[in-house]
Amino acid sequence: MDQIAEADTIFLFGSNPTECHPIVGLHLKKGLRRGAKLIVADPRRIDLVDRADIWLGLKPGSNLALINGMLNVILTNGWENKEYIATRTEGFVEVKANALLYPPERVEKLTGVAKETIIAAAELYAKSDKSMIVYGLGVTEHITGTENAMAMGTLALVCGHLGRRGAGVMSLRGQNNVQGATDMAAVPHMLPGYQLVSEPEVRAKFEKKWQAPISPRPGLESLEMYDAARAGKFKGMFLMGVDPAQTDPDLHAVRKSLNALDFLVVLDMFHTETTAFADVILPGASFAEKDGTFTNLERRIQRVNKAIEPIAGKAEWQIICEIATRMGYPMHYNHPAEIMNEIASLAPNWAGIDYQRLGTQGLQWPCPSKDHPGTATRYEDDFPRYNKLGRMIALDHVGSGEIPDHQYPLILTTGRRREHHNNASMTMRTEGIAKLVPEELLEISSGDATRLGIDDGDYVRVVSRRGQIKVKSWVTTRAQDGIVFLAFHHREALTNDLTSGFRDPITSTPEYKSCAVRVEKS
Amino acid sequence: MNEKMIAAQINGLEVYCRQGTTVLAMARAAGCFIPTLCDDPRLEAYGGCRLCVVEIKGLEYPQTACTTPVAAGMEIVTESAKLTRIRRNILALLLANHPNDCMRCEATGACTLQDLAYRYNVDGSRFNGDQTRLPRRDDNDFITFEPDKCILCGRCVRICHEVMMDGTIDLIGKGFNTRVDTAWSKPRSKENCEFCGQCVSTCPTGALTDKMSRGLGRPYETTKVRTTCCYCGTGCGLDLKVKDGKVIGVASALDAPSNQGNLCIKGRYGYQFIHSPERIKTPLIKRDGKFEAASWDEALDLVAGKFIEIRKKHGPDALGGVASARCTSEDCYVMLKWVRAGIGTNNIDNCARV
């Protein structure tokens, strides 16, 4: 993460770190003070735009068009890194052919960004010695989220901005342990350490350790579980520390699913929108009440140390072990250190990890053995593929799942604010924070506000095809004409009543960043 | 980055360091104590408090260690009668315009000025002059400012400008009337402040303190527990201050690898949920549409029983779970092991994708 400050050009894409990752924002500011250039691609005029050299204020859903446009400029001017492309990559011919279909004039129409700005951004990114792409959920929370992320990689590969300090592609993870939860493979198709459930030898290894058969049938992702519940095929669910009835998209559908379940267990610290649907609520323990690890966005596994005893008596791992044991599958650990040792014995990338080694500095995986120091920069010499080459993929502009029309003429994009986190069940419990940001505000441009007869501070109704909410308006230069913004922190105004059911077909990540709405004075 | 190593002597000891290292950094690495008030590793060297003066052979006057780079062959002395005299003078001048009410000061035990007064055996009696008398500023929910305890080291101002690039506060006025203030002395609000508390974390005296922690415990009554922040994915290290089984505050951990002691409003002040009266404290079972408190045994028996029942009736794939990206990796691992090996389905996911 400290490498951000070493980059010559920082290309910030769909991320608002000074609010959503304030400390990443500090590394970035350090780079700016050193003289680094900054390109910001974001539909909103976020705070960092004031410090940027170039702002690409693209329309939500036009990420791929913008990247293709930049590739077009780079390739027609010969600014690509020819040696890197020849020795370290494959797929360039297709990428080039595709990029040529995106001249800046066309991309201007697709993205709303002036072609001169696109050309300037492409030149700055390509010609800098060390350019780093830092991207956030503005890239992934689209139906083309995976393609968007791959396009970032392609751009970096074409320019050879990878595998060196101060260069590369960095994704900012939204929650404290998104990386760890995924590494652990709390996901349907993998086992810990990114090992596929579908491979018999992988299953055999885990079956031996776990002394139980593992189903070869692929599992359901969370949104698929809700779909299956609505269809009557999915009956019982255990939710640990999640609040889908506030934070998942298209809440009407979510509520229907939760109601359809025969039996729902929700484990949480507080009553949430979701706990209301539960048959049993189990009290959760906060991070101060247990030992364990979180893995951050730079793959650093770091200790969480117990400061006080669990307020309700048990930590999550203990609760689950007790349920498993009661179901006839005995699970017992004396301490989370034993759990980590078991993980290390099964996941090769974590084989070198134990609590003693983690200390106060943590370790960055891959860390395959006890004497391995961990890995700060990946892909320095080769990529983890059969031919060691970085694969570029030609990708076409698709757009958003739902586009504005005369009934719903505005694009709603959503995100977080600095003071709150997700459903705000934790942040709203600090009195000062609750007073500082007590309610949700709709960011709307003065052009749109004037047209709709809305003054700053007026209450408005935001209506989508799926629902409506009432919020106060904030007429601000942060918003461009035609694009409004809401965070999703407040139970009083459930932003996700508005968001759509469109998902990235590869990852099932919902399209939080773009849906069609209209705004009416309330 | 210049990687060239050079040799020098400190208090007669041979030491090696990278070219460009300051005398202060090198001395600390060698285990030599040099007093400072205006230094913070998160900030550019400032040379304001003059306490870090050292003697360098061949130079007539003492030099500030924080702004002087080590040169090859340099011979440095960090403690001498002359240096002690200088340091005592500086401290006596600071204490002459200080309330010296350590007994009830929030910073006692975590105050560099107090520590140095003790170490160099100085009090405020030597110089008589005007004293700053300005009221305590308590105009927001997070940061208390007592201007008469401020020694004008500028750390709060510099962290706000250099690290945060916010510029909420600055040094205002001249000479004796210099003070730290917001523009037009406006109260701190969302308009002019992020409430990251970085200024509090760097203050070497009791001038800036965490309002939420005031009066809750002395440093020697509390234990600090190093942990990792529970909010975004940056993974900031921080110290929880714990007294009698209660988290009473958060302290910066300067050696934390991701954040080097820096924190945002959530990390530093977003901890009150831990002891919120609204926490769910016992398992709850819904009966006739209402939640009733239950014992752990009762609730866990019910959960296990129901899950077994559904599995018998509809098969294991009618069951599943979603883990949280806010729980520990160990929690997640235990959950996926239970779902896969205990229940017998791959219906396990986490909230990373949503």
Side-chain angles (χ1 to χ4, degrees), chain B residues 75-199:
Chain B
E75 291 176 35
I76 301 151
V77 173
T78 64
E79 295 278 355
S80 70
K82 184 176 171 183
L83 292 174
T84 301
R85 201 167 61 243
I86 293 170
R87 289 169 183 161
R88 294 192 73 208
N89 274 336
I90 294 169
L91 290 167
L93 283 162
L94 290 173
L95 294 171
N97 181 20
H98 195 84
N100 301 328
D101 67 340
C102 302
M103 278 186 280
R104 57 170 191 155
C105 179
E106 179 60 24
T108 285
C111 171
T112 317
L113 184 63
Q114 186 186 46
D115 294 345
L116 292 177
Y118 174 76
R119 183 182 178 108
Y120 289 98
N121 192 23
V122 192
D123 66 14
S125 64
R126 230 177 96 203
F127 300 103
N128 273 319
D130 285 348
Q131 288 208 324
T132 306
R133 291 262 181 272
L134 288 168
R136 185 163 114 181
R137 290 271 296 267
D138 244 340
D139 54 21
N140 66 82
D141 289 307
F142 304 98
I143 297 164
T144 299
F145 180 43
E146 295 172 75
D148 50 1
K149 292 180 181 171
C150 174
I151 57 165
L152 299 174
C153 64
R155 278 163 67 168
C156 53
V157 169
R158 285 181 287 135
I159 206 159
C160 193
H161 286 252
E162 282 177 26
V163 177
M164 302 308 297
M165 288 174 106
D166 278 342
T168 304
I169 46 175
D170 212 331
L171 291 167
I172 314 264
K174 284 183 185 159
F176 182 76
N177 294 315
T178 311
R179 63 183 199 281
V180 171
D181 208 342
T182 55
W184 300 287
S185 282
K186 279 192 175 172
R188 287 179 191 254
S189 73
K190 201 168 183 309
E191 306 305 315
N192 65 3
C193 181
E194 278 194 36
F195 297 106
C196 56
Q198 292 273 85
C199 52

Side-chain angles (χ1 to χ4, degrees), chain A residues 29 51 175-176 187 215 217 220 222 235 276 281 290 302-303 305 326 342 355 418 429 507, chain B residues 164-165 226 228 231 235 266 278 286 297 301 317-318 326 330-331 333 340 346-347 349 353:
Chain A
K29 287 174 180 174
R51 299 187 189 280
Q175 302 173 62
N176 53 342
V187 288
S215 166
R217 294 183 303 279
L220 301 174
S222 62
K235 303 290 182 185
I281 303 175
K290 57 191 172 189
Q302 302 188 104
R303 278 302 311 277
N305 285 298
R326 280 171 162 84
E342 187 172 315
Y355 277 11
R418 181 189 301 125
R429 262 94 188 183
T507 60
Chain B
M164 302 308 297
M165 288 174 106
R226 173 65 55 87
T228 305
Y231 288 108
K266 294 191 287 286
E278 294 167 329
K286 197 185 260 172
D297 276 336
D301 282 342
D317 289 338
R326 286 175 295 280
E330 289 78 354
D331 290 336
Y333 173 84
R340 289 195 156 112
N346 284 308
N347 293 338
D349 205 359
R353 66 181 91 245

Side-chain angles (χ1 to χ4, degrees), chain A residues 377-397:
Chain A
T377 307
R378 300 186 82 187
Y379 318 138
E380 277 177 358
D381 301 318
D382 53 39
F383 293 92
R385 296 186 61 228
Y386 68 94
N387 61 3
K388 313 277 187 212
L389 297 176
R391 181 162 164 234
M392 308 183 189
I393 298 169
L395 297 159
D396 248 331
H397 167 72

Side-chain angles (χ1 to χ4, degrees), chain A residues 70 122 237 294 451:
Chain A
M70 288 179 69
M237 195 169 195
F294 294 150
R451 213 163 33 75

